[in-house]
Amino acid sequence: MIKWTFITVTYNNSKTLREYWTGDLPSWAEWIVVDNASADGTAEVATEIGATKVIRSSENLGFGAANNVGLREASGEYIAFTNPDVTVDFDSVDAIARSIDARGGIVSPQLINPDGSLQPNGRGLPTLASKVRNRLSDKFKMPGYQIFAQPGEEIEVDWFIGAVVAGRRSTFVELSGWDEKFFLYYEDSDIGLRAWRAGFSVRLVGQSRWIHGWARETTEFKLDPWKREFASMAKFYGRYPLLLGPVSLARVFFPRAKKNSRRLPWNRKTSGSLQTRHNEAS
């Protein structure tokens, strides 16, 4: 019985898949790769290293639309949208499932760099000022915008970067999946805010730590990625114009009116072990 579906969208990621992904899928999981018309043999590599299903698109659909293709094909009770430069820690999937079983919503493990240092994949309210200042040096960053979860902590955030986004399949269906109007960038901010507005929480699970390579194209100047970023930025703030103002004002109009770094007790007794449930089901 398939309990978890991992969905990965690829575009010319053959080297990245070989570096970060493992083909040793547990019997309770499936891995669906949606390839956006890669020209470097990514689809073949995905098959070689263990993808359960590779869906080859004849064109680049964009990140959100390709994720939705994978979601429609998924058979797992739980879904994890996972980037090509992420190494899934299957041993810590239990912790993510316990969090989902206890409180629903969408969650992410605490991501770490390949050297083991923490990545700030949790984020506060995505006002324009917060987004811009986050690209500058540390002294300009907005306090409380970058959020981490330590082992034993669950932390509510406004959104988290889209490298890993997990939840029940039924939750993503209720959210109508990813917004396909965002070809690339800002779709992760959007799904976090939509989840809160729909009554779901958005959390980091510090008990799970997955490696993320974090190769962002707009860390240097390349015209096409920046054009896509600005196009998505315009759509995002056109949809959420209150985020053009200060955090203190925007917070009044968004459903999560608590401090961004609220820490929640980790309940180790919540729900049974996912591995135990898999064994019982098989």
Side-chain angles (χ1 to χ4, degrees), residues 31-54:
W31 179 28
I32 297 175
V33 174
V34 183
D35 185 62
N36 272 332
S38 294
D40 69 342
T42 294
E44 289 78 11
V45 169
T47 299
E48 178 187 336
I49 65 176
T52 309
K53 179 182 294 187
V54 178

Side-chain angles (χ1 to χ4, degrees), residues 254-268:
F254 284 85
R256 186 173 160 260
K258 301 173 183 177
K259 290 184 178 180
N260 292 340
S261 58
R262 178 189 175 201
R263 281 164 167 71
L264 303 167
W266 176 259
N267 185 356
R268 299 178 186 277

Side-chain angles (χ1 to χ4, degrees), residues 9 41 54 64 86 139 159 175 195 200 215 218 220 224 244 272:
V9 173
V54 178
V86 167
K139 67 179 181 179
W159 63 286
L175 290 172
F200 298 111
T218 52
E220 57 187 58
D224 284 346
L244 292 169

